[in-house]
Amino acid sequence: MSIDYSVEDGIAHIVINRPERKNAITVAMRGEIEDGFRRAQDDHDVRVVVFTGAGSDFSAGADVGEMSGGGVRHSLYKMRHLHRMARAVAGTNKPVIAAVRGVCIGMSWALALACDVIVAAEDARFQFAFRHIGLAPDGGAAFLLTRYVGLQRAKEIIYSGRFVSGAEARDLGLALHAAPPEQVQEKALEIATGFAKSPTIALMMAKRQFDAAPAQTFDQALEFEANIQPLMVETEDHKEGAASFKEKRKPGFIGN
């Protein structure tokens, strides 16, 4: 197994563990990442996910040793696995934090963008290098990138295939925080701990609203929230939140 999975204090840790190859992702590992996120999705005790790479890098992207050969049929097989993995990350209805150090290239940057929050090292090296090997973007890269930056900037990053530092990623809105490399994991855990103590269902529903918003009109968005909020007022966490507000104390959310 090249993907480590553990849970502590409501936080699922999914770690790409192949540091000797800069955590390059094989086809088999795509299935392991998918399984990790499905597992976190289905575990009631998991309230937030931290996604990172072992060692000094997040991931160098797809394993180049598997890029050629096998013909069209094998290429379709690899794409199916890639898309199942991407959907598992993007479709997790709990907050997901990507903690990125070192390189984060190709499909791996797309996976990070599919998370809710990116905490990057200031000197992290993000890159969509598809043009350098004669490929079009995959993993939802073009779609995800244009959700964060304007179309012209997204095209410039993909057409040039240049590196984007963690500091620039923060300045462009592609990362929430840029920190010294040794503080990235600490910052990600600080955010995760706050999310893990939050009303879990409320964050899940907010995430559904954000996911749906790009395809909605304003009226559709209002209709969507009108269907959600009556359910939320019946949750234990809402009752606890309301009671703690009246009693002027900190709430103790339990995720129900």
Side-chain angles (χ1 to χ4, degrees):
M1 298 288 287
S2 298
I3 306 299
D4 294 338
Y5 181 93
S6 61
V7 178
E8 185 176 0
D9 297 328
I11 304 170
H13 298 267
I14 300 177
V15 183
I16 307 170
N17 191 2
R18 199 187 179 205
E20 71 281 2
R21 295 295 301 274
K22 292 186 177 294
N23 296 320
I25 299 173
T26 64
V27 173
M29 290 166 64
R30 297 176 192 186
E32 293 178 33
I33 292 171
E34 178 191 355
D35 290 344
F37 276 89
R38 299 290 185 206
R39 186 174 173 183
Q41 170 78 6
D42 294 339
D43 187 344
H44 180 72
D45 293 329
V46 171
R47 301 172 74 172
V48 61
V49 179
V50 174
F51 186 31
T52 192
S56 59
D57 295 290
F58 184 78
S59 171
D63 189 314
V64 294
E66 296 183 341
M67 283 188 179
S68 59
V72 172
R73 182 177 180 181
H74 185 60
S75 293
L76 290 171
Y77 168 81
K78 290 191 295 182
M79 290 302 292
R80 283 197 298 272
H81 276 265
L82 168 58
H83 291 165
R84 283 165 46 182
M85 173 182 64
R87 287 187 177 101
V89 177
T92 302
N93 65 6
K94 300 168 184 179
V96 182
I97 301 163
V100 178
R101 294 183 298 169
V103 297
C104 183
I105 295 174
M107 71 158 70
S108 299
W109 192 4
L111 291 178
L113 290 174
C115 299
D116 296 282
V117 171
I118 296 177
V119 178
E122 293 167 335
D123 61 354
R125 287 162 60 82
F126 295 92
Q127 184 187 36
F128 284 128
F130 300 104
R131 58 150 280 177
H132 296 308
I133 53 175
L135 292 177
D138 62 24
F143 174 86
L144 291 165
L145 191 58
T146 53
R147 290 186 67 180
Y148 285 88
V149 296
L151 184 58
Q152 288 189 79
R153 177 61 69 194
K155 288 179 177 179
E156 183 270 327
I157 289 171
I158 287 179
Y159 290 177
S160 69
R162 69 177 178 88
F163 281 104
V164 175
S165 71
E168 184 185 1
R170 175 201 55 208
D171 293 343
L172 290 174
L174 291 166
L176 183 61
H177 296 286
E182 66 276 10
Q183 295 178 17
V184 168
Q185 196 68 18
E186 179 183 351
K187 185 63 177 178
L189 286 175
E190 176 189 327
I191 297 170
T193 299
F195 289 169
K197 294 178 180 179
S198 299
T200 306
I201 300 175
L203 297 191
M204 290 167 57
M205 291 302 177
K207 185 167 181 175
R208 289 189 62 189
Q209 289 175 303
F210 282 119
D211 288 341
Q216 291 176 322
T217 65
F218 184 59
D219 283 343
Q220 288 171 332
L222 294 179
E223 188 66 23
F224 190 34
E225 68 183 42
N227 291 321
I228 290 174
Q229 207 71 310
L231 299 176
M232 297 306 304
V233 298
E234 300 300 321
T235 64
E236 294 301 318
D237 279 345
H238 168 67
K239 296 171 185 176
E240 165 62 12
S244 65
F245 181 80
K246 293 176 183 177
E247 297 164 11
K248 298 182 179 181
R249 60 174 175 82
K250 290 185 177 180
F253 296 119
I254 59 174
N256 291 328

